[in-house]
Amino acid sequence: MTAAEAGYLLCHCCHLLCRPQPGSIHSRCPRCGAVLHRRKPNSLARTWALTLTAYILYIPANLLPIMTVTMSGRGEPDTILSGVKELIVGGMWPLALLVFFASITVPVLKLLALTFLLLSVRFGSHWRPWERTVLYRLTESIGRWSMIDVFVITILVAVVELGTLATIEAGAGAVAFGGVVVVTMFAAMSFDPRLIWDCMAPKDGEVSSHSRPEGAYRMQR
């Protein structure tokens, strides 16, 4: 018997395992007071909406200038890719790889991972539920580190202010890129990984042949 079948619900805010009061329509967590749900309400719809929004914001984040460096009255705006190119030309390979990984690779991989998880749940896939759960945990934890560009630009704008000698201004691309990071973080938080295991529950008259996923299924529930 799973926890949900035994009448327990997991609080989405403080992760306390609760037994709701019999007959109550909107039970609340005794520790934090949040409303208890068997699954996150409208999880797939909200995650799809946020993921598509991130896809849209990702286009101007890479096409618009992310910052403009002006030295001695001259300067030109730089996008993320042009900034990586300038770092490579300047011989700063480690920093160029870090910016490329955090600003290009991580957001793309996170969007692709969320899309894959959403499609697998939508079509009721039974393929490797344990690995898909691990993929979700990695996607949720690594997304915040792609904010490194926004942190660097914020620090540079605040520190490098030498009048007419040198100035740094944040561009519209930085705003769009920050939006991508924030929206994808909310998308990962909106997705309920237990939906992956709901597809693994045997139907009436069926006996599950997946010994390992069945044990993980009970833990997730």
Side-chain angles (χ1 to χ4, degrees), residues 67-182:
M67 69 176 179
T68 302
V69 180
T70 304
M71 298 187 65
S72 301
R74 290 187 293 180
E76 54 185 45
D78 284 314
T79 61
I80 296 177
L81 288 177
S82 66
V84 172
K85 180 181 177 181
E86 291 295 330
L87 290 174
I88 294 175
V89 172
M92 293 180 284
W93 285 89
L95 185 57
L97 291 176
L98 177 62
V99 172
F100 181 81
F101 177 77
S103 304
I104 303 295
T105 307
V106 170
V108 170
L109 291 179
K110 188 172 183 179
L111 288 173
L112 293 177
L114 287 172
T115 304
F116 168 71
L117 292 173
L118 287 168
L119 290 176
S120 67
V121 173
R122 171 64 180 81
F123 293 104
S125 174
H126 287 204
W127 182 81
R128 296 183 179 273
W130 182 273
E131 286 77 4
R132 281 186 286 153
T133 305
V134 174
L135 175 63
Y136 167 74
R137 299 301 180 192
L138 291 174
T139 302
E140 184 184 29
S141 61
I142 201 174
R144 68 199 69 177
W145 295 104
S146 57
M147 201 74 168
I148 186 171
D149 269 9
V150 180
F151 291 155
V152 171
I153 293 172
T154 303
I155 294 173
L156 288 176
V157 170
V159 173
V160 182
E161 186 64 41
L162 302 178
T164 58
L165 185 61
T167 57
I168 296 179
E169 297 179 359
V175 178
F177 183 78
V180 172
V181 176
V182 173

Side-chain angles (χ1 to χ4, degrees), residues 30-76:
R31 182 160 66 184
C32 68
V35 179
L36 298 175
H37 302 280
R38 185 176 179 273
R39 294 291 180 265
K40 293 181 180 179
N42 302 317
S43 174
L44 293 182
R46 289 189 289 117
T47 308
W48 268 119
L50 292 169
T51 303
L52 293 176
T53 302
Y55 273 115
I56 295 173
L57 288 175
Y58 189 73
I59 298 174
N62 285 274
L63 295 180
L64 296 178
I66 194 168
M67 69 176 179
T68 302
V69 180
T70 304
M71 298 187 65
S72 301
R74 290 187 293 180
E76 54 185 45

